[in-house]
Amino acid sequence: MHTDAHRTTGPPTTPSAPEMAMVPTSVGRASREWDEQHVHLRAAAGQVAEASTAGFTPPAAHAAAAFLDAWTAHTAAIAQGCEVQADAMRAAITDWLDRDAGSAARGWALLGFVEELR
């Protein structure tokens, strides 16, 4: 804080490190959207897995079955990635709230030491 003989001007105006902030409700909404993607992709993987290769000649049916298997696995893997992302975001919210609560509790405990008592 800068002071002169007459007033206090506040913190220095030198550039500081970027501030990082998290809005738990925004992260919560985003995690629900990742969950929705997981549900939709899981459903798509199931639909691809149930697709029929009937009507193809044997060589084409074999290729179509391989294609369906590959796309089922690929879609299921993307769905799992969405679920992992949603879980990680929820864990971040929980961690942030736990740390914030701990910080607040420590701050209240120290309040008597940082305020001037007269």
Side-chain angles (χ1 to χ4, degrees), residues 15-20:
S16 61
E19 184 175 312
M20 189 168 145

Side-chain angles (χ1 to χ4, degrees), residues 21-117:
M22 182 174 98
V23 180
T25 53
S26 296
V27 177
R29 279 190 297 273
S31 71
R32 280 194 305 272
E33 290 172 7
W34 280 102
D35 278 331
E36 288 176 19
Q37 289 300 311
H38 169 253
V39 169
H40 294 305
L41 286 163
R42 260 304 196 214
Q47 291 170 347
V48 171
E50 293 172 359
S52 174
T53 58
F56 290 107
T57 62
H62 179 70
F67 174 82
L68 293 174
D69 288 344
W71 271 102
T72 299
H74 179 69
T75 308
I78 294 171
Q80 182 60 34
C82 290
E83 182 65 13
V84 167
Q85 181 67 31
D87 290 345
M89 293 178 88
R90 282 188 291 275
I93 294 168
T94 301
D95 187 51
W96 184 85
L97 291 171
D98 288 348
R99 300 235 184 268
D100 192 55
S103 176
R106 286 188 299 278
W108 284 109
L110 293 172
L111 195 56
F113 297 104
V114 296
E115 287 184 346
E116 182 179 0
L117 300 176

